Amino acid sequence: MNENEAEKYTGMLEMMGFVPAVDMENADFILFNTCCVRENAELKVFGHLGALKGLKREKPWLLIAVAGCMMQEPHMVEDIKKKHKHVDLVLGTQNIHELPQTIYERLTREKSIINVYDTERYIPEGMPLKREHPYKAWLSIMYGCNNFCSYCIVPHVRGRERSRELSDILDEARYLAEDGVKEITLLGQNVNSYGKTLEEKIDFSELLYALSKVDGIQRIRFMTSHPKDISNSLIMAMSELDKVCKHLHLPLQAGSDKVLKEMNRHYTKQRYLEIVDFARSKIPGLALTTDIMVGFPGETEQDFAETLDVAKRVEYDLAYTFIYSIRKGTPAAEREDQIPEEEKKSRFQRLLEVQDAASLKKNMEYIGKTEFVLNEGKSKTNSDINTGRTDTNKIVNFKSKEDTAGQIIKVRITDAGAWSLEGETV
Ligand code: SAH
Ligand code: SF4
């Protein structure tokens, strides 16, 4: 979602006549698009801001902006005002579309401008956007979150869940298709509750059917799908619709029922495994990926063993693994039974070992198979090599004599590592 929002900032700046600078030192405008889901990302932003104090002294005309969900944390704007007076403008997550007018205000009023709403407003539509990839696009279908998982800051900084109108989503998909996009990834904190805030009754699987009819769009992906709300109709839509990719990102977070309850996730280990079995039985060749967190307050060695057990049983294609990070304002942050850093790190390492072995094993199964790959063009690091993804979202590096960038082509997989596959065009 952050990447999608960054594309919106870039789109607006481009329309205003800005061009990309070669590096920070040469820029006249610098915008930090922040994320507050974990503390590490926040610390980095402060590091960058501190480092820019000198540059701002040398170049007083330099404008520094900070945007993104970190700016929605109540204490953050005060911190910026007190400790980072060289920041020129601050934008909240509801104020993305106000970037141009905020720059204008800053230039005409000669003082720092803070533009942060703390309540949800209308959903702005039709914002210009500068895509990072020519052939694939992010498409946000909803904003905010109502789930209040006890560790998570997202509902506090992104407000209540609200869905975009079907017609707006279809318009954007058609526009993207005309612009050469072959693959869209639908974004939402919990796509399974898409449509709940709309007057016209529609659910997520119906949205997939509608989007499948858009000519030119050849692949549809989505994330994230919360296990508590996943429906049989979604699994059926995935199995029936050719354009919907055979990949399900289903965050586990933890394997212990006790921890899941305290996280406020509303499913059990058994229910989660049942969903996995059902999805695999209906969608042959399905790739499964997940998010897993270790070191939630009160997590015992036994609790952690349950997480490892799920990881071993499911054998995820890929897992995004995190060390629990205390987020001020969330219930889990108040708990006194926080897990010592050393223990968290050791569990994290043990989880990685299990997961890396599973990723490699899953990828090895592709060797010798022929896959449909959307050729995304030349690899950034080696211009002899093309890179693309399979339907199941595996990265494939391959040599191709013809220029087939932007096309879905057949590639025979010749080798595999834990992170990517290698192949040759057929
Ligand atoms: N809406 C998505 C998650 C968005 S946040 C969902 O429910 O799955 C992305 C991931 O960050 C989460 O799945 C979780 O694993 C991780 N995360 C969220 N809060 C965290 C915290 N306080 N510490 C560590 N990881 C966290
Ligand atoms: Fe955070 Fe839970 Fe909402 Fe995901 S569903 S954004 S983890 S509160």
Side-chain angles (χ1 to χ4, degrees):
M1 196 152 274
N2 255 45
E3 283 181 24
N4 185 217
E5 289 174 355
E7 292 176 338
K8 292 175 186 168
Y9 293 119
T10 316
M12 285 183 278
L13 289 168
E14 197 171 66
M15 270 189 116
M16 293 165 72
F18 285 80
V19 292
V22 282
D23 54 26
M24 277 223 263
E25 279 69 40
N26 285 290
D28 296 319
F29 179 80
I30 298 172
L31 181 143
F32 292 98
N33 186 25
T34 65
C35 171
C36 62
V37 172
R38 283 168 294 274
E39 191 186 16
N40 269 349
E42 290 195 341
L43 297 176
K44 276 190 208 160
V45 174
F46 283 122
H48 282 301
L49 283 178
L52 280 180
K53 274 185 185 156
L55 191 62
K56 178 87 180 177
R57 261 195 303 272
E58 280 169 37
K59 286 170 60 168
W61 65 90
L62 168 67
L63 289 185
I64 301 173
V66 192
C69 62
M70 211 171 135
M71 295 301 103
Q72 296 287 149
E73 290 181 277
H75 55 283
M76 218 36 105
V77 170
E78 289 312 309
D79 276 11
I80 296 263
K81 275 192 204 155
K82 265 192 234 132
K83 296 184 205 146
H84 296 276
K85 293 198 171 74
H86 59 306
V87 169
D88 295 282
L89 42 126
V90 171
L91 284 175
T93 51
Q94 314 279 326
N95 309 73
I96 296 172
H97 58 297
E98 293 174 354
L99 174 67
Q101 84 191 48
T102 312
I103 294 178
Y104 179 79
E105 275 175 48
R106 168 65 188 82
L107 291 173
T108 49
R109 286 170 51 194
E110 282 301 323
K111 63 179 220 155
S112 298
I113 309 289
I114 313 281
N115 229 343
V116 179
Y117 298 141
D118 50 11
T119 52
E120 299 82 33
R121 304 241 164 159
Y122 60 94
I123 298 178
E125 291 293 347
M127 252 183 267
L129 187 146
K130 169 90 174 149
R131 269 199 322 282
E132 212 187 315
H133 301 279
Y135 314 116
K136 53 181 198 176
W138 304 117
L139 205 173
S140 296
I141 61 166
M142 56 205 296
Y143 300 98
C145 181
N146 286 353
N147 291 312
F148 290 94
C149 300
S150 63
Y151 51 80
C152 183
I153 198 155
V154 172
H156 305 270
V157 291
R158 289 208 175 252
R160 294 296 62 72
E161 179 185 292
R162 52 222 183 271
S163 296
R164 284 177 74 191
E165 295 288 342
L166 172 66
S167 55
D168 289 326
I169 295 173
L170 287 174
D171 281 349
E172 184 166 346
R174 286 189 204 107
Y175 165 78
L176 291 169
E178 273 168 32
D179 203 37
V181 168
K182 302 288 161 57
E183 176 182 306
I184 53 175
T185 301
L186 311 177
L187 300 175
Q189 295 302 345
N190 178 11
V191 293
N192 295 324
S193 62
Y194 172 75
K196 288 197 177 142
T197 56
L198 297 175
E199 267 175 36
E200 191 190 338
K201 281 293 142 236
I202 174 162
D203 70 13
F204 183 57
S205 55
E206 290 166 322
L207 174 66
L208 290 179
Y209 280 95
L211 281 166
S212 277
K213 296 201 186 100
V214 176
D215 287 339
I217 297 297
Q218 295 180 25
R219 280 180 169 181
I220 302 171
R221 304 185 184 280
F222 57 87
M223 60 179 178
T224 290
S225 188
H226 194 308
K228 85 178 163 68
D229 294 316
I230 196 159
S231 63
N232 289 356
S233 64
L234 171 61
I235 306 288
M236 294 322 288
M238 288 180 76
S239 84
E240 278 171 18
L241 295 169
D242 286 342
K243 288 185 182 177
V244 176
C245 292
K246 310 289 174 252
H247 169 212
L248 183 61
H249 183 68
L250 194 66
L252 168 71
Q253 311 302 0
S256 142
D257 288 346
K258 182 201 89 187
V259 173
L260 284 170
K261 193 161 199 301
E262 290 173 4
M263 285 179 164
N264 198 28
R265 291 289 289 181
H266 296 279
Y267 52 86
T268 59
K269 175 182 174 185
Q270 193 193 340
R271 168 79 188 125
Y272 184 93
L273 291 171
E274 281 166 13
I275 300 169
V276 168
D277 286 344
F278 181 68
R280 281 185 165 156
S281 73
K282 296 291 173 203
I283 310 163
L286 177 73
L288 267 165
T289 58
T290 197
D291 291 356
I292 302 179
M293 197 187 303
V294 300
F296 181 80
E299 181 188 71
T300 62
E301 188 54 34
Q302 184 52 39
D303 292 323
F304 174 63
E306 300 279 358
T307 300
L308 281 184
D309 184 47
V310 179
K312 283 182 191 157
R313 282 212 224 176
V314 175
E315 297 191 308
Y316 294 103
D317 289 84
L318 190 88
Y320 297 94
T321 46
F322 306 105
I323 290 178
Y324 167 73
S325 163
I326 296 179
R327 303 288 60 212
K328 224 188 204 166
T330 63
E334 304 299 317
R335 288 180 56 162
E336 277 162 16
D337 50 355
Q338 300 291 337
I339 307 296
E341 235 17 72
E342 284 306 299
E343 188 55 45
K344 287 200 241 184
K345 282 190 186 143
S346 135
R347 287 180 193 168
F348 185 71
Q349 277 310 323
R350 282 186 282 160
L351 174 62
L352 281 192
E353 277 164 32
V354 169
Q355 184 47 46
D356 288 353
S359 294
L360 183 61
K361 181 178 166 205
K362 286 275 157 190
N363 284 355
M364 298 286 275
E365 289 170 7
Y366 280 74
I367 296 177
K369 287 188 184 164
T370 298
E371 291 288 315
F372 285 104
V373 171
L374 170 59
N375 184 355
E376 292 172 17
K378 300 255 179 263
S379 149
K380 276 184 192 144
T381 46
N382 181 349
S383 60
D384 290 340
I385 301 277
N386 283 257
T387 185
R389 288 194 187 239
T390 64
D391 188 300
T392 51
N393 212 28
K394 307 268 179 199
I395 298 170
V396 187
N397 297 310
F398 58 98
K399 280 205 168 128
S400 171
K401 288 195 197 90
E402 292 156 63
D403 182 11
T404 54
Q407 294 174 34
I408 293 178
I409 54 167
K410 279 186 178 174
V411 176
R412 203 171 62 84
I413 307 303
T414 52
D415 203 359
W419 310 115
S420 61
L421 307 174
E422 274 173 46
E424 53 198 24
T425 49
V426 176

